[in-house]
């Protein structure tokens, strides 16, 4: 495992949502395909997204929900049913109504005429609910994919922190050997050797601490695709040190309309608009009709019967429903506007953090770490020669370790904010292949 690794090869994914995931969450790992992967059996980000997309348990409920909405749409588009009415009058009474000799039998059909194209409005509501469910499914899918990507980045960074910790342990042992030689020659006090041994022990403790964190993160990542055991030891962390470029902000704003959270609010607004139209349609009322034939046994004759029922003042009675539906639509519209403003602010914050992290990464990589490596070598030689104290030696060593940890942290922050940007905008950033200017120099560190 190299501290400043090369990029890894891309991963081809099948299926609509996998393609969408690699486009909407197009992290550096997937685009930086110019070098061999770190290890043959390391889990890649592409494989992680594939497993989560195919097997996450929380996504399984959306298929039956869409089937239920299909059934509701079929019911909503139906016209009012026909009813068969049968009546018997003038029988079982007294005098002339005794028995069934004077019975009057009526057989008729009845139904309702819906005015205002109400079936279309009911169907529009179901369609809007389906759009909302699709947006919710996409939101949850991207949330799960983003969570998996964050855990992947955290694992990659933790693996690199383990490399730094092991380097710190090696440096501590080297310092212990150097101090031991000076003590054996009576050129340094025994206390310096004791401090050097304590520093070595503390460095070993830090290695063990990180090694114990790794299984927890691997288990949490595997749980996202429903696995009880990780089934992998390492994630491919080579591209962690290719954070790419921040890019321009405005293209990200233009892509906000692909944000699934905003699409949910837009679908909710469409639901309220369709509900308002249905309420306005209800103001016209329904015309009920009835038509049939009546048999008069007493006179041995038949006749036709017909009737129409028209509700009165239905427009006035519907005003409350119309006002409520109008208010709900206005509230949904304001919610959408507020969400767009909030999303833009969050997008800008993430873009700013990513920009700063990339700048910090470049400064640490190009200006800080090389000088501290050189300074540590000079300080070690000066300590051996008796010109520097032990405090100066451990200070130089600790500054280099801190800078390397800061480099890992800057790379982590750059990728985590990239995930946030792509989760918010729903689009891959333009500079997905990393900073090619420094790729070759990265291998030298």
């Amino acid at each position: 495992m190299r501290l400043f690794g090369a990029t890894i090869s891309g991963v081809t994914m099948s299926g609509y949502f996998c393609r969408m995931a690699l486009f909407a969450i197009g992290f550096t790992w997937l685009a930086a395909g110019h070098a061999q992967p770190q290890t043959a059996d390391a889990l890649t980000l592409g494989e992680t997204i594939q497993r989560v997309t195919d097997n996450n348990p929380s996504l399984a409920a959306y298929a039956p929900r869409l089937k239920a909405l299909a059934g509701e749409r079929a019911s909503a588009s139906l016209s009012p049913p026909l009813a068969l009415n049968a009546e018997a009058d003038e029988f079982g009474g007294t005098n002339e109504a005794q028995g069934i000799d004077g019975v009057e039998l009526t057989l008729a059909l009845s139904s309702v005429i819906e005015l205002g194209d109400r079936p279309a409005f009911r169907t529009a509501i179901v369609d809007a609910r389906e759009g909302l469910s699709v947006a919710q499914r996409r939101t949850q899918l991207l949330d799960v994919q983003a969570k998996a990507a964050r855990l992947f980045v955290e694992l990659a960074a933790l693996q690199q922190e383990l490399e730094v910790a092991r380097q710190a342990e090696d440096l501590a042992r080297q310092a212990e050997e150097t101090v031991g030689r000076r003590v054996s020659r009576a050129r340094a006090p025994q206390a310096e050797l004791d401090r050097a041994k304590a520093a070595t022990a503390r460095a070993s403790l830090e290695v063990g601490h990180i090694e114990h964190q790794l299984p927890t993160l691997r288990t949490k990542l595997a749980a996202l695709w429903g696995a009880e055991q990780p089934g992998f030891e390492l994630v491919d962390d080579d591209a962690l040190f290719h954070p790419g470029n921040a890019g321009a902000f405005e293209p990200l704003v233009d892509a906000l309309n692909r944000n699934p959270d905003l699409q949910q609010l837009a679908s909710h607004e469409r639901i309220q608009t369709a509900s308002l139209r249905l309420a306005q349609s209800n103001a016209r009322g329904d015309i009920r009709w009835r038509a049939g034939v009546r048999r008069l046994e007493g006179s041995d004759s038949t006749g036709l019967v017909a009737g129409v029922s028209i509700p009165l003042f239905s427009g006035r009675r519907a005003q409350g429903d119309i006002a409520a539906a109008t208010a709900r639509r206005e509230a949904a519209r304001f919610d959408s506007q507020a969400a767009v403003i909030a999303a833009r602010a969050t997008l800008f914050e993430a873009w700013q953090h990513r920009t700063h992290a990339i700048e910090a990464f470049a400064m640490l990589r190009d200006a800080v770490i090389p000088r501290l490596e050189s300074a540590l070598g000079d300080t070690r030689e000066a300590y051996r020669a008796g010109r520097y104290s032990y405090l100066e030696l451990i200070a130089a060593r600790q500054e280099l370790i801190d800078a390397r940890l800061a480099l890992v942290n800057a790379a982590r922050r750059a990728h985590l904010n990239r995930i946030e940007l792509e989760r918010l905008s729903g689009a891959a950033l333009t500079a997905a292949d990393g900073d090619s200017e420094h790729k070759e120099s990265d291998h030298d560190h």
Side-chain angles (χ1 to χ4, degrees):
M1 189 186 302
R2 297 181 297 276
L3 177 59
F4 306 106
T7 54
I8 69 171
S9 57
V11 178
T12 302
M13 297 173 59
S14 60
Y16 169 76
F17 285 112
C18 292
R19 292 194 298 271
M20 180 270 292
L22 294 186
F23 178 76
I25 309 181
F27 308 111
T28 302
W29 278 272
L30 303 180
H34 303 290
Q36 293 299 316
Q38 165 193 314
T39 56
D41 57 348
L43 180 70
T44 66
L45 180 61
E47 293 167 346
T48 300
I49 298 299
Q50 175 102 45
R51 293 182 185 186
V52 168
T53 302
D54 292 343
N55 302 307
N56 184 264
S58 64
L59 300 174
Y62 284 92
R65 287 175 187 169
L66 290 176
K67 290 181 180 179
L69 286 172
E72 291 183 28
R73 181 190 297 102
S75 298
S77 62
L78 294 176
S79 299
L82 283 172
L84 178 63
N85 304 288
E87 296 181 5
D89 299 325
E90 306 297 334
F91 71 97
T94 60
N95 298 328
E96 295 181 357
Q98 290 181 355
I100 59 172
D101 291 339
V103 69
E104 295 183 1
L105 298 175
T106 303
L107 190 64
L109 293 176
S110 64
S111 187
V112 174
I113 299 175
E114 291 185 319
L115 302 179
D117 201 14
R118 228 162 291 166
F121 292 137
R122 289 195 299 267
T123 303
I125 292 176
V126 177
D127 289 341
R129 287 173 57 199
E130 181 181 31
L132 177 60
S133 183
V134 170
Q136 288 173 337
R137 201 270 184 198
R138 184 166 181 260
T139 295
Q140 187 162 358
L141 174 62
L142 290 181
D143 284 343
V144 170
Q145 290 170 339
K147 184 176 181 180
R150 293 186 193 103
L151 284 172
F152 189 96
V153 170
E154 294 290 353
L155 261 172
L158 195 60
Q159 289 176 183
Q160 292 289 2
E161 287 180 4
L162 180 60
E163 283 292 304
V164 175
R166 287 170 175 166
Q167 290 181 356
E169 186 180 22
D170 290 341
L171 289 175
R173 287 199 178 96
Q174 292 173 16
E176 182 182 338
E177 293 172 0
T178 301
V179 172
R181 285 194 293 269
R182 284 177 55 83
V183 170
S184 65
R185 297 170 187 170
R187 299 176 62 185
Q190 179 65 34
E192 287 188 4
L193 181 57
D194 292 338
R195 294 176 67 184
K197 289 181 178 180
T200 303
R202 293 183 64 181
S204 299
L205 283 175
E206 182 63 21
V207 170
H209 176 66
I210 296 176
E211 287 176 340
H212 280 85
Q213 292 181 63
L214 286 169
T216 300
L217 278 182
R218 286 196 292 263
T219 301
K220 290 174 66 175
L221 181 58
L224 292 179
W225 60 75
E228 295 182 359
Q229 299 296 328
F232 65 94
E233 289 296 324
L234 297 171
V235 297
D236 201 334
D237 58 8
D238 283 338
L240 180 69
F241 293 94
H242 299 305
N245 301 313
F249 178 66
E250 288 305 321
L252 299 176
V253 177
D254 296 338
L256 266 181
N257 62 334
R258 288 192 290 266
N259 181 285
D261 301 299
L262 300 182
Q263 289 176 348
Q264 283 190 57
L265 291 171
S267 297
H268 185 64
E269 186 176 354
R270 285 192 290 270
I271 291 174
Q272 300 306 324
T273 298
S275 298
L276 172 60
R277 291 175 179 170
L278 182 60
Q280 292 170 337
S281 175
N282 288 334
R284 301 185 62 180
D286 295 331
I287 297 177
R288 299 180 178 275
W289 60 268
R290 179 171 176 268
V293 62
R294 175 174 293 172
R295 168 69 176 175
L296 305 175
E297 291 293 339
S299 60
D300 194 23
S301 59
T302 59
L304 297 178
V305 294
V308 175
S309 175
I310 301 176
L312 300 178
F313 312 115
S314 57
R316 185 185 307 169
R317 294 175 61 85
Q319 290 307 306
D321 290 339
I322 293 174
T326 301
R328 284 192 291 266
R329 185 186 65 171
E330 288 300 303
R333 183 169 62 86
F334 288 132
D335 286 342
S336 295
Q337 292 173 354
V340 169
I341 295 172
R344 182 187 174 101
T346 304
L347 192 74
F348 182 74
E349 181 182 11
W351 180 75
Q352 283 281 75
H353 288 327
R354 174 168 165 77
T355 301
H356 176 67
I358 291 174
E359 292 172 353
F361 175 85
M363 182 67 70
L364 287 163
R365 177 193 60 192
D366 299 333
V368 176
I369 291 179
R371 290 181 173 89
L372 290 177
E373 289 174 338
S374 176
L376 177 60
D378 293 342
T379 302
R380 185 185 295 117
E381 293 302 319
Y383 176 77
R384 289 170 180 168
R387 295 194 305 270
Y388 280 178
S389 69
Y390 176 72
L391 289 177
E392 289 170 309
L393 175 62
I394 61 173
R397 183 185 70 208
Q398 192 58 47
E399 286 177 357
L400 176 59
I401 296 304
D402 290 345
R404 286 176 173 173
L405 289 174
L407 184 72
V408 173
N409 187 48
R412 175 201 285 115
R413 288 187 288 111
H415 284 291
L416 290 178
N417 280 286
R418 184 191 185 101
I419 295 168
E420 184 65 18
L421 285 173
E422 293 174 338
R423 171 62 181 82
L424 285 168
S425 66
L429 301 183
T430 54
D433 58 347
D435 189 354
S436 58
E437 178 182 352
H438 299 287
K439 283 180 182 178
E440 294 303 323
S441 64
D442 287 347
H443 296 291
D444 298 332
H445 286 280

